[in-house]
Amino acid sequence: MSERLHRVAVLVLEGAKPLDVGIPAQVFTTRASMPYEVRVCGAAPGLVTGGDGLSYHVAHGLEALEWADIVFLPGYRHPDRDDPPAAVVEALLAAHARGARLAAISTGAFALAPTGLLDGKRATTHWHYTRALAQRYPLIRVDENVLFVDEGEVLTSAGAASGIDLCLHILRGDLGIAAANHAARRLVAAPYRSGGQAQYVPRSVPEPLGERFAAVREWALHRLNEPLSLDLLAQRATVSPRTFSRRFVEDTGYTPMQWVMRARIDVARELLERSERSVEQIAADVGLGTGANLRLHFQRILGTTPSEYRRTFAGTED
């Protein structure tokens, strides 16, 4: 990890939603365990009228985008009829060309879309606006059923709370899972919700299984070193395996066994970062049996080896 602080710009546009602005500003606030520097900016320095009765006094203008490594675009009111200023679009394109990542929270995707950087890529936004985004920008592959989408250089997320998930996802990539979990505890947030987890959209028929399924996932997280099967999880939820599988995919974006495997790999990641246990010992700790099995699934899911991951992230959290 570079000694230089990671530079984060939060771009506040007219009608900006307060939660969307506050999430990246708070998540990436500079502290010993968070080597980031945050600048809140606007199209120009000064007062920006926000949504929900709030306004923002920003100290920086678009020059902050020339400085930033990652630019957050918080959601704003009436995105389907208010285009961002041309200067904002040009500044975003220049930041991208210089290598900065661009991350939209909720309706901030409507400020990112005019750059053309989402064309041909998957993206999401708040469920209420997914149809409007798809109609207005038909080259974007809009996915209305996910919390966030990471396309590498451009990232998008759903409603405000999923902005936390996106920020924690970025932290996991930058600093490792231990630092992301530390930040989640500080925020009193769920440490991990996958980007593929479904948005909470209205359903025509209420299905009161959400809390029960969440309890089963919590139960499983404390037993990852034990054998966990579809039948066992469904029995715990007191539903049939078929119903459990269908609802689990709707809730998380993964099959039950895919979710269990990713949970095991996440625990293995934290043990690699924060302990000196061998790969063989960690494989046993997380229920994968052998080091060879852990290496196989680690490579498949993360595209790297446990040893390389440990070299990259061990000791990054203060």
Side-chain angles (χ1 to χ4, degrees):
M1 184 180 63
S2 171
E3 292 182 1
R4 179 177 71 81
L5 295 179
H6 299 262
R7 298 169 173 174
V8 176
V10 181
L11 179 57
V12 181
L13 300 175
E14 293 289 327
K17 299 179 180 179
L19 277 177
D20 295 12
V21 172
I23 286 168
Q26 181 170 346
V27 171
F28 294 98
T29 184
T30 304
R31 60 182 65 216
S33 60
M34 293 288 293
Y36 292 85
E37 180 181 355
V38 179
R39 293 183 183 177
V40 180
C41 64
L47 192 66
V48 181
T49 302
D52 302 301
L54 296 180
S55 295
Y56 311 85
H57 194 283
V58 299
H60 305 279
L62 293 175
E63 73 281 352
L65 274 61
E66 302 172 9
W67 161 89
D69 300 314
I70 181 166
V71 178
F72 279 93
L73 297 159
Y76 55 97
R77 295 291 178 189
H78 311 303
D80 49 344
R81 62 176 191 251
D82 293 341
D83 288 325
V88 167
V89 175
E90 293 171 6
L92 290 171
L93 283 168
H96 172 265
R98 194 176 42 75
R101 289 174 289 172
L102 308 179
I105 296 176
S106 187
T107 55
F110 283 82
L112 185 52
T115 66
L117 296 172
L118 293 177
D119 291 355
K121 296 183 173 68
R122 284 179 63 239
T124 193
T125 189
H126 189 282
W127 61 266
H128 185 76
Y129 288 99
T130 50
R131 183 173 299 179
L133 183 65
Q135 290 175 344
R136 193 167 184 181
Y137 300 98
L139 296 180
I140 300 175
R141 292 155 46 207
V142 178
D143 191 337
E144 66 179 358
N145 296 315
V146 296
L147 292 181
F148 62 83
V149 176
D150 181 351
E151 287 279 4
E153 59 193 15
V154 287
L155 305 92
T156 52
S157 66
S162 64
I164 297 177
D165 299 306
L166 178 62
C167 289
L168 293 175
H169 169 75
I170 290 169
L171 275 177
R172 281 191 292 271
D174 286 356
L175 304 182
I177 198 166
N181 287 349
H182 177 77
R185 288 191 294 272
R186 175 166 53 84
L187 296 164
V188 196
Y192 182 75
R193 292 200 299 171
S194 74
Q197 185 164 326
Q199 292 191 39
Y200 297 112
V201 299
R203 297 181 183 273
S204 55
V205 179
E207 297 189 52
L209 296 176
E211 289 187 8
R212 192 190 311 173
F213 277 44
V216 171
R217 291 195 293 272
E218 182 68 21
W219 178 85
L221 286 175
H222 293 285
R223 292 164 177 80
L224 293 174
N225 63 327
E226 303 174 9
L228 293 173
S229 66
L230 171 60
D231 287 345
L232 180 63
L233 296 174
Q235 183 181 5
R236 184 76 186 180
T238 64
V239 296
S240 70
R242 181 177 180 180
T243 297
F244 187 82
S245 291
R246 177 177 60 81
R247 279 299 311 275
F248 202 95
V249 171
E250 290 177 1
D251 286 350
T252 70
Y254 294 112
T255 68
M257 291 300 96
Q258 286 174 334
W259 182 89
V260 167
M261 181 58 69
R262 286 179 174 268
R264 285 174 166 153
I265 293 300
D266 275 351
V267 174
R269 289 166 69 181
E270 187 154 12
L271 288 171
L272 286 165
E273 294 172 26
R274 306 185 73 174
S275 78
E276 296 183 0
R277 295 179 69 74
S278 70
V279 171
E280 293 289 340
Q281 290 171 325
I282 290 173
D285 290 340
V286 302
L288 288 176
T290 67
N293 205 21
L294 173 60
R295 291 183 189 95
L296 173 67
H297 292 293
F298 211 91
Q299 181 74 47
R300 178 177 60 83
I301 291 174
L302 298 178
T304 189
T305 66
S307 297
E308 183 62 31
Y309 185 89
R310 172 171 267 166
R311 281 193 293 271
T312 301
F313 290 113
T316 58
E317 185 191 9
D318 293 334

